[in-house]
Amino acid sequence: MNLAMPPGLIAQGAKEEAAKEEGSSFRPEEIDQIVAPIALYPDSLLAQTLAASTYPLEIVQAGRFVQQNKDLKGEKLLQAAKDKDWDPSVKAMLEFPDVLLMMNEKLEWTEKLGNAFLSQQRDVMASVQRLRKKAQETGNLKTTKEQVVKVEKETQIIVIEPANPQVVYVPTYNPTVVYGAWPYPAYPPYPVYPPGYVAGAALFSFGVGVAVGAAWSGHGGWGCGWGNNEVNINASTNNNFTKNNYNNPEKYQNKAGGKNQNWQHNPEHRKGAKYPNQNTAQKYGQQRSGAGGRPTTSDARGYGSGGGQRGGAGPQTSDLSRGTGDKGGAKPQTSDASRGGGKESAFGGSGKGGSERASSNRGQESRSSASRSTSSAGRSGSSGGGASRSGGGGSSRGGGSSRGGGGR
């Protein structure tokens, strides 16, 4: 029995897919869902994490590097990676290995975060402020010995800064609890936590402080330009981070001076990972229609087919094959946090039914033609003529393959 999709629903599904391809891919509730795990980070670390998330393949490479050099920390780890030409936002994450490993472990979430930030930067920054306000109203965001929470009087913007500029504490919290009652049941916060998080632990706590020193005050001059909902960065020639941690520091330095400037995405470090929609792809010089053969984060794991998915989700990746993907033997596991955001439209592929039925009919006609040919020619082996008419090659059974759309 054939069930036909109502034309109105087909048209609606096509419009939704077209909208995702051309412009915004994420609704406000989806962005809140994605941003919730990091919205309460200090502004400087938040800005750096947002920028680094736009380079998922380099996050995978840096995560592997940390796992392969577990005995190295801080400056020693950075020096060991001096020859790595990762984007500075990614390389600076080596100062925060727990956050970097979290981004590598939950790669699907990282991709969505980066895609949302690239295509809807201001919406992402606005989401951070919404979530901070909710956490503050529930009493879970406040000044402590590790951080200072400020509310600007005129704008009501909530700013989070390290209590000691030279020591950054990464907050650890359960994003499904810390914001109080969540208003979007269909889009619960992603359950993303740093390594070592224990369920049922304190609602809001801090790990060991990271002494950032010169590295943080250099390229780590990250900040949030809340007035325009932007990320700011200091990339001058006096930048200590790039000077000390790259073999080619001039590549990342700006000779205009030491003033802060708006962060700019560098597509060179995207390494071919697909952009979330056509507008963003064109902005950074990548044509999505021809990106089928580009590497994906699944490929970086070692088992991807290079296909990827459309829409905000990007390529789906495993959250379980840690550090072994490059062996090529492990199969991807279903990710554990793909609720809501970036899912393919329910009507995706609904317009394919007609072409599939047409292919099936061609296959039936091919078999009928071959059958008539073999009957008229007797049983003397003239079935080859029938196969020739089918256009398939081999024998009349070749018509069967046309069910998949291959034969004609």
Side-chain angles (χ1 to χ4, degrees):
M1 179 175 66
N2 293 328
L3 297 177
M5 178 73 72
L9 293 182
I10 294 176
Q12 178 183 345
K15 288 179 180 179
E16 290 179 356
E17 287 299 310
K20 283 186 176 182
E21 281 293 297
E22 291 299 324
S24 298
S25 299
F26 301 92
R27 295 185 289 272
E29 56 268 32
E30 292 178 283
I31 296 178
D32 284 3
Q33 175 192 46
I34 297 167
V35 173
I38 62 169
L40 305 185
Y41 280 13
D43 285 13
S44 49
L45 179 57
L46 169 71
Q48 181 183 329
T49 303
L50 289 172
S53 70
T54 67
Y55 308 111
L57 292 174
E58 291 192 343
I59 288 291
V60 171
Q61 294 169 348
R64 287 178 178 169
F65 184 81
V66 169
Q67 292 170 334
Q68 293 165 1
N69 295 273
K70 295 180 179 179
D71 296 334
L72 301 179
K73 306 290 182 184
E75 290 295 328
K76 291 184 178 180
L77 183 62
L78 283 166
Q79 285 301 303
K82 191 170 184 177
D83 64 334
K84 305 298 183 184
D85 196 31
W86 303 321
D87 185 84
S89 64
V90 175
K91 183 170 281 192
M93 292 304 298
L94 295 176
E95 287 279 293
F96 301 91
D98 285 350
V99 179
L100 175 60
L101 291 175
M102 178 183 76
M103 297 175 74
N104 180 46
E105 291 286 319
K106 301 297 182 181
L107 193 58
E108 180 191 350
W109 165 77
T110 299
E111 289 181 286
K112 288 185 178 181
L113 177 65
N115 287 341
F117 188 60
L118 280 174
S119 60
Q120 295 163 251
Q121 183 174 144
R122 294 191 175 188
D123 293 337
V124 167
M125 302 300 280
S127 172
V128 169
Q129 287 298 318
R130 281 197 303 272
L131 293 170
R132 287 182 174 184
K133 184 177 180 180
K134 286 180 62 66
Q136 189 179 51
E137 289 174 347
T138 59
N140 294 321
L141 178 61
K142 53 192 174 184
T143 295
T144 67
K145 61 184 177 62
E146 293 88 3
Q147 67 181 17
V148 176
V149 178
K150 301 177 182 178
V151 180
E152 297 181 358
K153 291 183 179 180
E154 294 184 1
T155 62
Q156 294 300 298
I157 292 295
I158 300 175
V159 176
I160 305 176
E161 299 175 343
N164 178 350
Q166 299 297 315
V167 181
V168 176
Y169 289 87
V170 180
T172 300
Y173 58 89
N174 186 336
T176 65
V177 178
V178 74
Y179 300 107
W182 191 257
Y184 318 115
Y187 298 94
Y190 269 82
V192 176
Y193 321 102
Y197 174 80
V198 178
L203 190 62
F204 193 99
S205 60
F206 296 90
V208 177
V210 177
V212 291
W216 189 257
S217 62
H219 190 277
W222 297 89
C224 297
W226 294 115
N228 295 312
N229 279 342
E230 299 170 334
V231 163
N232 297 327
I233 188 173
N234 179 349
S236 72
T237 53
N238 295 322
N239 189 309
N240 290 330
F241 184 86
T242 53
K243 182 172 66 176
N244 295 332
N245 296 290
Y246 282 88
N247 289 331
N248 55 340
E250 61 282 350
K251 178 179 179 180
Y252 300 101
Q253 294 175 348
N254 188 303
K255 295 179 172 58
K259 294 182 179 180
N260 284 347
Q261 54 190 284
N262 294 337
W263 171 79
Q264 298 293 327
H265 174 69
N266 185 346
E268 176 186 346
H269 292 278
R270 185 78 174 179
K271 300 289 179 65
K274 290 185 179 180
Y275 285 100
N277 53 55
Q278 188 64 37
N279 285 350
T280 307
Q282 290 178 346
K283 179 179 179 180
Y284 297 111
Q286 183 189 92
Q287 295 296 327
R288 282 171 54 85
S289 60
R294 296 179 182 272
T296 68
T297 43
S298 294
D299 296 327
R301 293 276 193 224
Y303 53 73
S305 61
Q309 290 185 348
R310 285 180 160 185
Q316 297 296 315
T317 52
S318 167
D319 280 334
L320 300 176
S321 302
R322 305 300 161 233
T324 58
D326 54 351
K327 295 179 181 178
K331 294 182 180 180
Q333 302 293 324
T334 303
S335 60
D336 62 353
S338 57
R339 305 181 189 86
K343 287 186 177 180
E344 185 175 345
S345 167
F347 306 106
S350 60
K352 299 178 183 177
S355 62
E356 290 175 354
R357 287 193 294 273
S359 296
S360 177
N361 290 339
R362 287 196 298 271
Q364 292 175 2
E365 292 171 1
S366 175
R367 291 193 298 276
S368 297
S369 175
S371 177
R372 288 195 299 272
S373 174
T374 53
S375 296
S376 62
R379 302 181 182 276
S380 61
S382 61
S383 59
S388 175
R389 291 185 185 180
S390 71
S395 69
S396 63
R397 289 194 185 103
S401 67
S402 66
R403 293 180 181 176
R408 302 186 92 88

